[in-house]
Amino acid sequence: MTTEMTSEALFEAMRRSIIDGDDERAAELAGEALRAGVDPLRAIDDGFVIGLREVGDRFSRGDMFLPEMMLAAKAMKRAVAVLEPELDRRAMKRQVLGRVVIGSVKGDIHEIGKNLVATMLAAAGFEVHDLGVDVPFDRFVEKAREVDADIVGVSALLTTTMTGQRTVIETLAAGGLRPRVKVIVGGAPVTREWAEEIGADGYGEDAAQAVTVARRLVGAADAAVV
Amino acid sequence: MTPLRPRLELLDAALVERVLGEAFALLLDPGVRVRSPEVAELLAAAGASVADGVARIPEGPVRAALVTVPHEFALHDRAGDPVVRYGSGEVHFDPGSSGVHVLDPETLEHRSSRSADLVRLVQVAEMLPQYAAQSTAVVCADVPAAIGDLYRLFLVLLHSDKPIVTGAFTAQTTEVMIDLLAADAGGRRALEARPRAVFDVCPSPPLTWTEFAGSNLVALARAGVPAEIVSMPLAGGAAPVTLVGSVVQHAAECLSGIAIHQLARPGAPVVWGGAPAILDMRAGTTPMGAIETAMIDAACAQVGRSLGLPTHAYLGASDAKIVDAQAGLESGISAILGALAGIDMISGAGMLDFLLCQSAEKLVIDAEAIGMAKRLMRGVETPTETLATAAFREAGLEGRFLELAETNRLFRREQHLPSRVIDRVSHRTWQEAGALDTFARARRRVDEVLATYRRPVIPVGVEAEMVALVRGEARRAGMDILPGVPAR
Ligand code: B12
């Protein structure tokens, strides 16, 4: 009973550490959890993730700011890094909404929007693999295969690089990954019509929409809105 | 007696020195990323140490570049007159460039821009004297992306006499664009002697010269075609969050760019330009209409001017989605601030939605803000011998000023005469004229302006050469017709 009480307090502190974007504290609490023998999966799901969700939610509502979200994501990362060895030891896998591979397409070095989408997806509970910018077409395919991705996200900010989104879809198909691996596209010049024309499965006008679309694609639409 | 020229300076002399001091320090540590082997070689040969794609540039070669870089140069109109004089102290304006949408004046939809939209924008800007130069204002969705940049320039050349602010997307198309300009000028040599266009080249924040941007600077320098370094620190996102920190980053990016450019060819014309912005921490957007954005621009230009360099900035744009009060206030305030900051070329007019959407209606409204800014810049003049007493001798205590010859002689200079976009009539007259708001008046004005537009007279051979050049490129890109090209 007492341990249950303390773990509740611990979970609350974990949630708080993420909302405060305090990575030192988050790592410390993760260590504490391990020492107290708390199930590392519960530490993530009932502690840290709750905080991250709240941050994502408040950011979407305009109540929280980008730097706060970035610090929260960083704190989350540090906490998970502390817990990971124990997860591995127990051969446990974190329950994620899905695995996403994302990048700015070849020829395109705009990254701010893509980073934002990646952060929001991670905050929403996806495992995100960010390939960076100017990503060659087959790199998307390679990575998608390597991590067994559910979704590939392709960002393009230039009318000249937008066509690369089509090429990524074609390359995924040639690699035999379509239609199982879903493709979402975005970037300032990208429209819903373009997404349809190139046969993408989803389009996101902004990071919040990217999350909605990604959730729909992994069948998590009716789960509590993050 | 010359009137006091109003001037906005946000930094004192000591702070300008500190900015430059830290910018030079950044060039050494962490250095500048250079992705182009050609650029890396140029810098290394000049004394920079290059390793792992990072060049650490000592002050020496940069100072040497600052000695060879021209302090003034001009862009010429079709007739060969130097109508845009960078570095002269005169402020010039041009429409914002490379939008991907236009605001449909009927539906208010942001739709993909096409050749016909670019031609319409060029025609409107052509007839408005407030715009000293054209820009390649939008890309054309009906043209293959591979030739999108050169096709825009082609259409502007076919429809305008004015100088042009443009930019290329790839190395191959840069060459074609220079060929187009050479055809227009009567050869490469003539183009160098009387350049008509300046090319924007963007370093990537922070402190990165991509393969294309770096080699583009070099290619333009070698061709003697003016380049405009458009550095875009995004305060808090891709640059320090402080305004002054972003000004330092901007200075470092421009200084490294000028060094590369002058190493490629000493004496080639280049501009200390930029499109900095803050990052909106709620929406994650890059607001061009924010007051802080204008403040960074003004401070960056001040630093450039302290080095005697021609300057450029992106102002007069708005982040509003329609031509509403926000569009008016952001565009007007930032155009005025840019003028007060003495920036040689101010790009951005017509733009909405973070430089994504162009609007011809906004262009005619922004022209009014520019007219006001230009009037402000002339300051309070003293065109009469006595300031007022002589006028009073004639007008007497009855104050018959309206009847004075002096009034008739001077009012056109003393007062800026706005177009009918600016409403100054009585309430009744306004009502009788249909009670139109600014946007509705702007739509009318666009129609009026378009009705007076005449296409420039281009020598048949020159036009044929340009058309042939572009036809070849278009065929290779899979396009057989040339949209937006007027019938002869
Ligand atoms: C900042 C910026 C740059 C910076 C980028 C810095 C960086 N580290 O990212 C620099 C200076 C490097 C740059 C360079 C260039 N740029 Co630029 N740039 C911009 C600018 C002003 C803002 C982009 C941005 O970060 N926006 C903020 C973010 C948050 O928004 P976002 O990117 O749109 O992302 C959101 C959504 O689109 C969506 N989203 C994005 N990606 C994805 C992916 C998925 C899967 C999903 C679902 C959703 C999604 O969600 C995001 C979050 O809400 C835009 C103008 C604009 N309004 O877009 C021009 C703009 C995109 N650039 C433009 C141009 C022309 C260039 C250059 C070619 C300039 C030149 N001549 O050298 C180079 C090209 C470099 C290259 N090869 O990529 C043009 C494009 C025009 C066109 N027709 O294609 C624009 C529109 C500006 C203009 N009007 O001239 N640029």
Side-chain angles (χ1 to χ4, degrees):
Chain A
M1 191 68 199
T2 5
T3 49
E4 189 57 11
M5 288 287 288
T6 38
S7 59
E8 279 314 314
L10 187 61
F11 291 154
E12 169 56 24
M14 286 169 167
R15 186 188 71 91
R16 221 27 285 158
S17 71
I18 300 296
I19 293 172
D20 294 343
D22 187 342
D23 62 336
E24 290 293 321
R25 180 88 184 118
E28 203 178 285
L29 290 165
E32 232 167 78
L34 290 182
R35 280 189 299 280
V38 174
D39 176 350
L41 262 186
R42 281 203 63 200
I44 293 177
D45 291 339
D46 300 344
F48 297 117
V49 161
I50 307 295
L52 197 58
R53 268 198 203 147
E54 190 170 330
V55 170
D57 188 20
R58 284 172 60 181
F59 178 75
S60 302
R61 289 200 313 259
D63 286 354
M64 251 180 143
F65 297 92
L66 264 177
E68 294 171 303
M69 193 168 81
M70 291 300 176
L71 289 178
K74 196 167 145 197
M76 180 75 196
K77 246 194 185 146
R78 271 199 66 182
V80 171
V82 171
L83 297 170
E84 221 139 45
E86 180 62 15
L87 279 174
D88 286 350
R89 207 183 55 77
R90 299 193 189 184
M92 289 172 128
K93 231 177 157 57
R94 238 187 101 191
Q95 182 89 39
V96 291
L97 276 181
R99 273 178 286 278
V100 182
V101 168
I102 193 167
S104 299
V105 75
K106 189 170 157 51
D108 208 311
I109 58 151
H110 293 87
E111 64 177 345
I112 298 167
K114 182 264 299 163
N115 291 353
L116 211 57
V117 171
T119 305
M120 286 287 274
L121 285 172
F126 285 89
E127 180 183 308
V128 178
H129 302 266
D130 187 345
L131 299 176
V133 298
D134 191 14
V135 180
F137 308 124
D138 25 350
R139 185 79 191 100
F140 283 99
V141 182
E142 232 169 69
K143 192 73 187 177
R145 193 171 280 133
E146 180 194 322
V147 303
D148 189 19
D150 302 291
I151 296 176
V152 169
V154 194
S155 181
L157 269 279
L158 297 170
T159 37
T160 44
T161 56
M162 253 166 81
T163 47
Q165 295 178 324
R166 188 201 297 267
T167 317
V168 171
I169 295 179
E170 288 166 358
T171 318
L172 281 167
L177 295 184
R178 295 279 286 156
R180 192 182 58 71
V181 176
K182 307 292 180 216
V183 177
I184 58 176
V185 292
V190 177
T191 58
R192 192 171 303 283
E193 292 75 54
W194 170 252
E196 272 165 24
E197 184 186 326
I198 64 173
D201 304 286
Y203 154 75
E205 164 122 26
D206 54 27
Q209 259 192 36
V211 171
T212 312
V213 170
R215 293 176 59 87
R216 180 169 53 72
L217 289 174
V218 296
D222 8 299
V225 175
V226 196
Chain B
M1 222 185 319
T2 49
L4 199 61
R5 274 219 156 195
R7 168 109 332 156
L8 175 72
E9 294 203 331
L10 295 175
L11 315 174
D12 65 16
L15 191 49
V16 170
E17 281 316 305
R18 264 184 86 187
V19 164
L20 284 169
E22 289 206 18
F24 278 114
L26 287 182
L27 295 184
L28 271 177
D29 185 14
V32 177
R33 255 187 301 211
V34 285
R35 296 262 153 77
S36 150
E38 186 186 22
V39 171
E41 268 166 41
L42 276 176
L43 287 170
S49 73
V50 186
D52 299 328
V54 174
R56 293 165 179 270
I57 313 172
E59 198 166 328
V62 183
R63 288 283 177 198
L66 290 174
V67 172
T68 56
V69 66
H71 289 191
E72 285 187 38
F73 73 91
L75 297 182
H76 302 72
D77 62 12
R78 187 183 301 280
D81 291 328
V83 291
V84 169
R85 296 179 304 127
Y86 275 98
S88 65
E90 199 186 318
V91 175
H92 311 81
F93 289 85
D94 75 304
S97 188
S98 301
V100 296
H101 297 137
V102 287
L103 177 73
D104 187 305
E106 304 293 330
T107 63
L108 302 187
E109 202 190 329
H110 289 201
R111 54 174 176 74
S112 282
S113 45
R114 305 173 64 84
S115 312
D117 298 312
L118 176 57
V119 170
R120 182 168 180 266
L121 287 162
V122 170
Q123 291 175 341
V124 170
E126 191 69 5
M127 302 315 290
L128 298 172
Q130 288 90 340
Y131 298 112
Q134 291 277 0
S135 76
T136 38
V138 289
V139 293
C140 309
D142 49 347
V143 171
I147 58 165
D149 53 357
L150 71 93
Y151 204 84
R152 295 180 310 171
L153 178 63
F154 171 60
L155 287 184
V156 179
L157 284 170
L158 285 185
H159 291 92
S160 170
D161 280 335
K162 292 186 179 183
I164 307 163
V165 180
T166 186
F169 298 156
T170 70
Q172 304 86 287
T173 46
T174 306
E175 286 308 313
V176 184
M177 291 171 82
I178 294 175
D179 287 342
L180 270 174
L181 289 166
D184 175 66
R188 286 242 177 180
R189 196 146 315 136
L191 175 62
E192 236 185 85
R194 289 182 305 280
R196 178 146 173 218
V198 60
F199 282 67
D200 287 351
V201 183
C202 306
S204 298
L207 301 173
T208 301
W209 286 97
T210 59
E211 162 95 48
F212 168 62
S215 53
N216 200 222
L217 262 188
V218 171
L220 292 166
R222 295 211 167 122
V225 174
E228 187 159 80
I229 299 174
V230 180
S231 155
M232 311 187 172
L234 302 173
V241 69
T242 59
L243 306 191
V244 74
S246 289
V247 175
V248 171
Q249 180 177 316
H250 175 276
E253 289 176 356
C254 284
L255 287 170
S256 60
I258 289 173
I260 295 166
H261 185 263
Q262 294 297 298
L263 283 169
R265 181 165 162 191
V270 63
V271 181
W272 180 274
I278 54 165
L279 187 69
D280 182 282
M281 293 304 179
R282 229 185 319 232
T285 49
T286 53
M288 302 308 295
I291 189 71
E292 299 85 355
T293 293
M295 290 166 73
I296 299 174
D297 276 307
C300 289
Q302 195 187 335
V303 174
R305 223 184 14 256
S306 79
L307 299 168
L309 298 170
T311 56
H312 159 272
Y314 246 92
L315 292 166
S318 171
D319 308 312
K321 310 304 178 276
I322 54 173
V323 183
D324 58 4
Q326 181 183 337
L329 78 89
E330 289 179 341
S331 307
I333 289 174
S334 67
I336 294 265
L337 290 179
L340 286 174
I343 298 166
D344 292 318
M345 178 63 81
I346 300 175
S347 306
M351 281 290 192
L352 296 164
D353 190 20
F354 316 97
L355 304 182
L356 283 173
C357 184
Q358 256 294 358
S359 160
E361 290 68 29
K362 182 170 182 289
L363 270 185
V364 302
I365 299 171
D366 292 347
E368 296 303 329
I370 294 167
M372 293 177 192
K374 291 200 158 173
R375 175 62 192 93
L376 173 65
M377 292 306 289
R378 276 201 283 122
V380 176
E381 295 173 304
T382 51
T384 53
E385 205 152 304
T386 71
L387 304 181
T389 48
F392 265 98
R393 265 197 299 278
E394 275 193 65
L397 269 181
E398 304 88 86
R400 299 172 179 275
F401 295 105
L402 258 183
E403 297 168 13
L404 298 194
E406 172 182 293
T407 301
N408 187 40
R409 183 166 56 84
L410 291 177
F411 86 92
R412 285 185 186 80
R413 179 153 178 93
E414 285 295 300
Q415 303 183 356
H416 161 64
L417 211 64
S419 81
R420 291 211 180 82
V421 166
I422 299 299
D423 167 45
R424 287 187 180 167
V425 298
S426 71
H427 182 255
R428 208 172 93 206
T429 313
W430 173 75
Q431 250 176 346
E432 283 168 3
L436 302 179
D437 67 4
T438 317
F439 187 61
R441 294 194 299 272
R443 283 175 51 177
R444 274 207 183 162
R445 173 108 175 105
V446 167
D447 290 342
E448 283 166 22
V449 164
L450 287 175
T452 60
Y453 172 82
R454 291 285 168 276
R455 199 162 89 79
V457 181
I458 307 174
V460 182
V462 170
E463 184 162 332
E465 191 182 342
M466 291 196 285
V467 170
L469 191 63
V470 172
R471 194 181 298 286
E473 295 298 323
R475 285 232 172 91
R476 262 190 290 289
M479 180 170 74
D480 287 327
I481 44 119
L482 300 183
V485 175
R488 263 261 163 207

